[in-house]
Amino acid sequence: GKVNGFFFLASDKFKKSFKKCTEEDLYKALRSKVNGTTAVLQTLADSSLDFLCFFSSAQVAFPAGQRSLYALSCGLQNQIVHQTAKSIHFPVKVINWGFWTHLNDEKDAVLEQIGITPITPEAGMKLMEKAFSDSTNHLLIGDFREAVKSSQEIAYELENSNSTLTT
């Protein structure tokens, strides 16, 4: 059958701080996001999709120790998509998702202590609907109001927008 749209949701569970990684660690951490993104864009660039959506992470705006390589891979993914999307003739969107709720209440409590409200599945679906009704091609989705207030300085500008959808 016909494919109308495509979501790319690659991730790697690689947890090591940037300071402690080797060159091999770096390549391993980048492989799923960067190689996968490039392959998807090359494969689908000439198709007639209604949309192409890449899921990325808010980690690019709020990098943290053991997730710094993941933040780097998400940032590279975002740049590859934005550069390539200029030559694609259907909507291409990047969504940098915030933190989702865990099955572990302790982890959610830690996020809430630092000012981040975890996204529930129900809220996530509503936010997805908002994201697709918005013409912005790059969105940061989550509730970071308290995290931003409590930070010394967070400076992150999305290339084509400063849109943030919150619940």
Side-chain angles (χ1 to χ4, degrees):
K2 183 180 178 207
V3 175
N4 295 312
F6 191 87
F7 289 93
F8 184 72
L9 295 79
S11 184
D12 195 325
K13 297 264 184 194
F14 196 81
K15 290 185 180 179
K16 193 180 237 185
S17 74
F18 192 75
K19 290 179 184 177
K20 296 179 181 178
C21 80
T22 65
E23 185 175 342
E24 184 179 328
D25 293 335
L26 179 62
Y27 285 118
K28 183 179 178 184
L30 298 176
R31 194 171 299 131
S32 65
K33 284 277 190 198
V34 175
N35 292 357
T37 296
T38 303
V40 166
L41 287 165
Q42 289 173 347
T43 302
L44 299 175
D46 295 326
S47 66
S48 58
L49 292 175
D50 293 335
F51 71 89
L52 176 56
C53 182
F54 291 84
F55 282 9
S56 193
S57 174
Q59 287 278 278
V60 297
F62 303 97
Q66 290 191 342
R67 301 294 287 167
S68 58
L69 288 178
Y70 181 63
L72 174 64
S73 68
C74 289
L76 287 172
Q77 176 191 37
N78 296 351
Q79 289 304 311
I80 292 166
V81 171
H82 286 300
Q83 289 302 312
T84 307
K86 294 173 185 176
S87 63
I88 294 177
H89 304 288
F90 52 82
V92 179
K93 192 175 288 275
V94 173
I95 300 177
N96 291 91
W97 286 99
F99 295 91
W100 288 79
T101 190
H102 296 83
L103 296 176
N104 179 332
D105 289 336
E106 287 180 36
K107 288 183 179 181
D108 286 348
V110 169
L111 289 174
E112 289 174 7
Q113 281 180 333
I114 62 171
I116 297 172
T117 303
I119 302 169
T120 64
E122 298 79 19
M125 289 308 297
K126 288 178 184 174
L127 290 166
M128 176 74 81
E129 288 175 20
K130 280 185 179 181
F132 273 88
S133 65
D134 189 295
S135 63
T136 306
N137 65 358
H138 192 162
L139 296 150
L140 175 64
I141 297 181
D143 188 342
F144 308 103
R145 291 173 287 202
E146 294 303 317
V148 171
K149 283 182 200 171
S150 65
S151 296
Q152 294 264 332
E153 180 179 71
I154 294 177
Y156 182 73
E157 183 177 317
L158 297 174
E159 184 176 323
N160 297 313
S161 169
N162 60 0
S163 295
T164 301
L165 299 179
T166 61
T167 53

